[in-house]
Amino acid sequence: MDAVNLAGNNTGTGVERSRRRGAPAREWFERLLARADIRVNGDRPWDMQLIGPDVPERVLGQGTVGLGESYMDGDWTADRLDQFFHKLVRAQMTLGDQAPLSGTRPPVWHLLKARWLNRQTRRRVWEVAQRHYDLGNDFYEAMLDARMTYTCGYWSAGARTLDEAQEAKLELTCRKLGLKPGMRVLDIGCGWGSFMKYAAQRHGVTCVGATVSAEQVALGRERCAGLPVEFMLQDYRDLPGKTGRFDRIVSLGMFEHVGHKNYGAFIDVAAALLEPDGLFLLHTIGRNEQGEGTDPWIDKYIFPNGELPTVARLGRACEKRFVVEDLHNFGADYDRTLMSWHANVEAAWPRFKERLGERFHRMWSYYLLSCAGAFRARDIQLWQWVLSPHGVPGGYRRPTLA
């Protein structure tokens, strides 16, 4: 029984008919990518190399999910995926309705969930830890700097390596908070404790950190042994009444998991736990314009239930709660941070290949390099907000590393 009979007609082989059906989608796809100066099967590092036959149809039908999943399946590649996304995202920003993916929208269900549901409830908050942060401490030790800092490094002061960039970020954060020996500091979303360990060792403070990752708590306690540092496996909403007040509060790279329906609750927790003359430093990735949820592929495979704030939404959450003393954007530094993480993963991959598999490898590369391209295109930002309950008398002055 051949393909003609299975198809119920005799107009040609199944392969030929598939090609004819796919031709309009392929032509549409090539025209869209051309708007971003990307060629299909071109010879430049950022050009897309098609391997599987149905990538255009998958992108047309599923948008960014189809684009990402077809890459994970090995159906297309690019020599420099970061450059591919830099061009694609930059075109999205500058071409408006003529942008490459303007004709593909997130699924309606994704938009409705992001808009109407609270996807960051007390129950759901543990999901991101289980699916992302608890992949294995050895994997993150291989990817990150020596201090295991899973947030943007600060390269702008002249750092040459990832370790230097992360130490510069930690030191800048401590200086912005004006840490002094004997102060008590809360770290909301403390990760493996890189900030707390640094602040305790270099600035003589006592720290309490909260995270929803059991893996982070276990390794963090080992790494901070002997220091005045305490880890709590705790959702931020449950901290009031359990910790007392703090002279300073910091949150580095956790706010992306809060969700706009909970911004007020998060800020209220910080306000309740901070001393009246204290400072709160909030470090978060942000977006240029309001949207609902996050990219559907990122939501499905990397950070479930995440959401990037805008300046407007975060600013509104601070109203009547905090004075915004300082807002510092060094999002361009995330490009270099992500590229460093990717280089570390590639160097260490032989150790993880058997355990994690090639599809995970492609997924993780897609995550790191697509995000690097987006930061390079300036589509997403990295902000540090310094907040005070009642305003710093005489005004706040941002410190430098000079």
Side-chain angles (χ1 to χ4, degrees), residues 150-208:
Y150 196 13
T151 51
C152 181
Y154 189 64
W155 301 84
S156 302
R160 295 163 298 177
T161 67
L162 180 61
D163 283 354
E164 290 179 358
Q166 294 295 12
E167 289 229 351
K169 188 271 300 297
L170 295 174
E171 179 60 28
L172 181 63
T173 301
C174 290
R175 293 188 187 186
K176 285 182 177 181
L177 286 168
L179 295 188
K180 297 177 181 178
M183 281 185 171
R184 192 163 182 260
V185 181
L186 172 65
D187 186 345
I188 304 177
C190 62
W192 294 273
S194 63
F195 170 81
M196 296 194 295
K197 183 176 182 179
Y198 184 93
Q201 289 176 327
R202 302 289 181 89
H203 294 270
V205 299
T206 298
C207 297
V208 175

Side-chain angles (χ1 to χ4, degrees), residues 79-375:
D79 289 341
R80 288 291 304 272
L81 198 61
D82 57 307
Q83 292 183 11
F84 170 89
F85 275 102
H86 171 233
K87 287 184 169 291
L88 186 69
V89 175
R90 192 67 184 174
Q92 294 290 120
M93 294 175 64
T94 58
L95 294 178
D97 290 341
Q98 297 301 310
L101 295 182
S102 61
T104 63
R105 303 297 183 196
V108 172
W109 59 266
H110 180 82
L111 295 175
L112 291 177
K113 283 196 301 183
R115 179 170 297 179
W116 299 112
L117 300 180
N118 184 353
R119 302 185 66 212
Q120 297 83 14
T121 62
R122 279 181 167 84
R123 180 179 61 84
R124 288 178 178 271
V125 74
W126 303 93
E127 184 179 350
V128 69
Q130 295 162 0
R131 289 177 52 188
H132 188 88
Y133 295 108
D134 291 348
L135 277 173
N137 286 327
D138 58 342
F139 178 76
Y140 285 109
E141 282 181 309
M143 183 178 87
L144 304 176
D145 64 299
R147 291 184 176 273
M148 292 188 72
T149 312
Y150 196 13
T151 51
C152 181
Y154 189 64
W155 301 84
S156 302
R160 295 163 298 177
T161 67
L162 180 61
D163 283 354
E164 290 179 358
Q166 294 295 12
E167 289 229 351
K169 188 271 300 297
L170 295 174
E171 179 60 28
L172 181 63
T173 301
C174 290
R175 293 188 187 186
K176 285 182 177 181
L177 286 168
L179 295 188
K180 297 177 181 178
M183 281 185 171
R184 192 163 182 260
V185 181
L186 172 65
D187 186 345
I188 304 177
C190 62
W192 294 273
S194 63
F195 170 81
M196 296 194 295
K197 183 176 182 179
Y198 184 93
Q201 289 176 327
R202 302 289 181 89
H203 294 270
V205 299
T206 298
C207 297
V208 175
T211 176
V212 294
S213 167
E215 291 283 330
Q216 289 181 336
V217 168
L219 182 59
R221 286 172 175 164
E222 289 182 20
R223 294 172 69 91
C224 295
L227 293 171
V229 170
E230 177 186 353
F231 284 82
M232 301 177 68
L233 186 63
Q234 196 80 63
D235 178 27
Y236 69 90
R237 283 164 286 210
D238 297 324
L239 289 174
K242 297 182 178 180
T243 61
R245 285 180 173 268
F246 296 87
D247 301 295
R248 299 290 189 264
I249 298 177
V250 66
S251 184
L252 303 176
M254 178 271 182
F255 195 73
E256 299 89 337
H257 303 303
V258 171
H260 71 274
K261 290 185 177 295
N262 305 304
Y263 288 171
F266 181 91
I267 298 298
D268 279 341
V269 166
L273 296 176
L274 187 63
E275 295 285 1
D277 61 348
L279 290 175
F280 172 30
L281 187 144
L282 179 59
H283 170 121
T284 181
I285 299 171
R287 67 200 308 171
N288 295 330
E289 56 184 303
Q290 186 168 312
E292 304 300 337
T294 189
D295 174 82
W297 184 86
I298 291 285
D299 181 76
K300 184 174 182 179
Y301 289 100
I302 307 299
F303 294 117
N305 309 319
E307 182 174 355
L308 301 184
T310 62
V311 167
R313 270 187 166 167
L314 185 44
R316 283 195 296 272
C318 292
E319 289 180 7
K320 299 183 180 180
R321 297 174 173 97
F322 284 108
V323 174
V324 179
E325 300 285 359
D326 189 58
L327 175 55
H328 183 189
N329 183 348
F330 53 96
D333 286 14
Y334 228 141
D335 175 11
R336 194 168 173 184
T337 303
L338 286 153
M339 294 302 294
S340 296
W341 290 344
H342 179 257
N344 286 347
V345 170
E346 292 303 292
W349 182 246
R351 292 164 44 197
F352 303 101
K353 182 176 181 180
E354 183 175 353
R355 185 177 96 200
L356 296 175
E358 184 56 28
R359 196 165 193 267
F360 174 92
H361 185 205
R362 294 182 67 83
M363 178 191 77
W364 205 258
S365 294
Y366 189 91
Y367 151 52
L368 295 175
L369 296 177
S370 65
C371 288
F375 277 105

Side-chain angles (χ1 to χ4, degrees), residues 17-65:
R17 286 193 303 278
S18 175
R19 287 173 177 166
R20 284 199 293 272
R21 286 195 301 270
R26 170 70 177 262
E27 293 169 3
W28 163 86
F29 191 59
E30 290 186 355
R31 286 197 302 270
L32 291 183
L33 290 183
R35 294 171 186 167
D37 188 31
I38 298 170
R39 300 173 191 154
V40 174
N41 297 331
D43 57 4
R44 300 168 300 178
W46 59 84
D47 286 333
M48 173 184 276
Q49 307 302 317
L50 280 184
I51 301 167
D54 61 348
V55 174
E57 289 85 354
R58 293 177 74 175
V59 176
L60 178 61
Q62 300 174 283
T64 61
V65 172

